[in-house]
């Protein structure tokens, strides 16, 4: 059986409005030696019918239907079926330029030992589009020491990016992964992580890879979604905690916690995630000061055992302030007051 150069994996769940455009952009690729594995993760809308119509007998495409198990399982299903030398992930509400795959693959010829090709993107929504640059052009990683910027940006999306950045290097799209690397190290997305599966998958990939190359080419068009009520509710549930625990394990296993710069980035990320949780709790509380204060105090109290594991000595000034708001009862009340005032200023009436 012929081995395609690239296996493209598209996980789909309820994307009837966008998936046809995604598939159309893949059918229009100037590079033909590819297979496209579209995994429908139990969609309840018309996604499957739309996909079948968009593919229209193109033998390069395979549609797999499975019960809804989450995007991590859907991507893993695609990885289990992939036969290509390289693996590429595309999200179903995004599109790519016609030369996208050919451009990324061209970098593998220039760098024959590369394990991961990374690229930029164009972020877009109804208001327009903006080109993103994750790293400077010509950024190449060929040893362990040079991986530090990758790890930094996984934990701090603003690192080495322009002001007003939309996304960061932790996404699975915008990359080619050498499939042999993923197979050799049994690298998969962790279904036990309700958040940040892609970021932690890339952390493991970056650690395993011998050479990584960034090309400042933006042939991937990333649809930016808003942070809706569901995101706030999930954050308030503490769904980032498993990812925080997984990051802690990897930081220790890879001995990244011995580096002062990475240790600070990791401590800051933890505090930022916990503070986002406090903000989410405040946003869901009844709209009066006493209710928000009680909700914030209760959540801060629940988070304190986790915060005890954070090295507060390495936190920058802003991180120390958030840490205090999470660990000091008086400062938690200050945070609650500020969050209550923000809701009033945004037009929500007091209860």
């Amino acid at each position: 059986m012929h081995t395609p150069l690239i296996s493209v994996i598209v996980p789909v769940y309820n994307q009837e409005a966008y998936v046809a455009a995604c598939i159309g952009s893949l059918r229009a690729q100037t590079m033909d030696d590819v297979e496209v594995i579209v995994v429908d993760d139990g969609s309840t809308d018309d996604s499957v019918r739309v996909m079948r119509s968009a593919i229209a007998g193109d033998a390069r495409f395979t549609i797999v239907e499975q019960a809804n198990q989450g995007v991590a399982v859907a991507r893993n299903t695609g990885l289990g079926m992939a036969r290509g030398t390289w693996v590429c992930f595309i999200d179903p509400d995004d599109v790519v330029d016609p030369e996208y795959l050919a451009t990324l693959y061209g970098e593998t010829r220039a760098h024959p030992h590369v394990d991961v090709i990374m690229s930029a993107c164009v972020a877009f929504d109804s208001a327009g589009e903006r080109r993103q640059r994750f790293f400077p052009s010509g950024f190449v990683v060929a040893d362990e020491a040079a991986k530090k910027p990758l790890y930094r940006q996984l934990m701090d999306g603003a690192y080495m990016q322009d002001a007003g950045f939309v996304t960061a290097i932790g996404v699975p799209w915008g990359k080619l992964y050498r499939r042999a690397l993923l197979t050799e190290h049994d690298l998969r997305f962790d279904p036990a992580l309700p958040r940040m599966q892609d970021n932690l998958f890339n952390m493991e990939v970056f650690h395993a890879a011998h050479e990584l190359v960034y090309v400042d080419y933006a042939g991937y068009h990333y649809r930016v979604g808003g942070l809706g009520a569901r995101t706030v509710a999930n954050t308030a549930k503490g769904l980032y905690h498993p990812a925080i625990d997984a990051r802690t394990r990897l930081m220790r296993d890879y001995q990244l916690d011995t580096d002062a710069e990475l240790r600070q980035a990791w401590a800051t990320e933890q505090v930022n995630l916990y503070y986002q949780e406090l903000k989410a709790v405040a946003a869901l509380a009844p709209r009066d000061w006493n209710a928000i204060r009680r909700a914030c105090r209760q959540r801060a109290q629940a988070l304190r055992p986790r915060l005890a594991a954070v090295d507060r000595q390495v936190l920058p000034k802003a991180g120390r302030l958030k840490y205090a708001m999470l660990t000091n009862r008086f400062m938690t009340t200050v945070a609650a007051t500020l969050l209550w005032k923000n809701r009033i200023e945004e037009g929500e009436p007091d209860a």
Side-chain angles (χ1 to χ4, degrees), residues 296-312:
C296 286
R297 282 187 172 182
Q298 290 170 1
R299 182 53 55 95
Q301 181 66 34
L303 287 172
R304 278 168 196 160
R306 286 185 158 273
L307 286 154
V310 176
D311 184 0
R312 63 179 177 176

Side-chain angles (χ1 to χ4, degrees), residues 80-99:
M81 297 177 61
R83 297 179 294 113
T85 303
W86 297 90
V87 171
C88 175
F89 296 99
I90 307 286
D91 280 355
D93 54 344
D94 299 338
V95 295
V96 290
D97 288 346
E99 69 280 3

Side-chain angles (χ1 to χ4, degrees), residues 16 20 47 75 133 149 157 234 238 250 294 351:
E16 63 180 5
S47 291
R75 289 184 178 130
R133 290 179 175 86
N234 286 335
L250 294 178
R294 284 193 298 270

Side-chain angles (χ1 to χ4, degrees), residues 285 288-298 329 332-333 336-337:
D288 83 333
W289 180 80
N290 283 317
I292 291 174
R293 178 178 59 87
R294 284 193 298 270
C296 286
R297 282 187 172 182
Q298 290 170 1
R329 189 176 176 86
T332 301
T333 300
T337 302

Side-chain angles (χ1 to χ4, degrees), residues 101-122:
L101 294 177
T103 300
L104 294 192
Y105 183 73
E107 293 296 318
T108 72
R109 294 177 176 142
H111 303 273
H113 303 296
V114 69
D115 288 315
V116 184
I117 301 291
M118 306 170 286
S119 70
C121 73
V122 174

Side-chain angles (χ1 to χ4, degrees), residues 301-343:
Q301 181 66 34
L303 287 172
R304 278 168 196 160
R306 286 185 158 273
L307 286 154
V310 176
D311 184 0
R312 63 179 177 176
Q313 301 301 321
V314 305
L315 289 169
K317 184 176 181 179
R320 290 197 300 271
L321 179 59
K322 289 178 181 177
Y323 185 93
M325 288 178 166
L326 289 161
T327 57
N328 179 280
R329 189 176 176 86
F330 171 75
M331 291 300 294
T332 301
T333 300
V334 171
T337 302
L338 293 173
L339 294 170
W340 167 71
K341 286 183 176 180
N342 286 342
R343 289 179 64 176

